[in-house]
Amino acid sequence: MCEYCGCQSLASIDELTREHDEVVRLISHLRGAHQDADAPRMARVAREITAVLGPHTRVEEHGLFPAMAPDFPEQIAALEAEHRHIESVLAEAAGGVTPSDPSWPERLMAAMAVLRDHILKEQDGVFPAALATLGTEEWEAVEKVRARAGGVLPGPTD
């Protein structure tokens, strides 16, 4: 996504950005499954998205967001509410289940539209603001959360 502010030079932001990129890639697969009316494939892709978002969300909500909440309380609360909404729709496909609710494919696609907008808010707003406002101690706290949360993506190839 963006590279204009230099925030990706921080390992924490680079990892979050790479996870965003992977989610966007998976959403494109979801669109194809939706066009084919293939609910089982949609459910499989939803589980892949969930696997990427699990550690990603933990890093944001237990590392980055708490450090930013004092300066941006409303924005952080809104982002966390979006997390809950997206997670609830994705969770319907947990455990290898294809949701039987006929409205689920449309609700999933609507949640993915929210997720795409959410990613842009983080990439263009949260990450540059974090670069400008957080100090060394806060970044170290974010790194500790990442170490506990792990991730599903391989390391950078640079």
Side-chain angles (χ1 to χ4, degrees), residues 1-134:
M1 300 232 176
C2 93
E3 296 179 4
Y4 65 89
C5 71
C7 61
Q8 291 176 358
S9 64
L10 284 161
S12 299
I13 298 299
D14 181 60
E15 182 74 8
L16 291 168
T17 299
R18 289 186 322 104
E19 289 164 342
H20 281 166
D21 292 345
E22 177 63 7
V23 167
V24 169
R25 185 187 74 77
L26 290 168
I27 290 171
S28 72
H29 291 267
L30 197 57
R31 283 193 193 111
H34 183 252
Q35 288 173 343
D36 295 341
D38 188 342
R41 193 167 96 215
M42 290 180 74
R44 282 192 303 277
V45 176
R47 288 187 291 276
E48 291 179 53
I49 292 169
T50 298
V52 175
L53 288 179
H56 176 92
T57 300
R58 282 191 293 282
V59 171
E60 288 180 344
E61 291 191 355
H62 299 284
L64 187 61
F65 288 0
M68 299 195 66
D71 292 326
F72 306 99
E74 295 86 13
Q75 293 88 344
I76 297 302
L79 292 169
E80 289 175 335
E82 289 173 354
H83 283 174
R84 298 295 81 75
H85 168 68
I86 293 160
E87 289 168 346
S88 71
V89 176
L90 287 169
E92 294 179 53
V97 171
T98 299
S100 59
D101 179 350
S103 72
W104 182 76
E106 294 307 320
R107 289 187 297 107
L108 178 62
M109 296 311 294
M112 294 303 97
V114 170
L115 181 54
R116 288 288 311 247
D117 288 343
H118 178 93
I119 287 170
L120 291 174
K121 289 178 213 172
E122 290 181 350
Q123 296 283 143
D124 295 341
V126 174
F127 297 168
L131 181 65
T133 62
L134 300 187

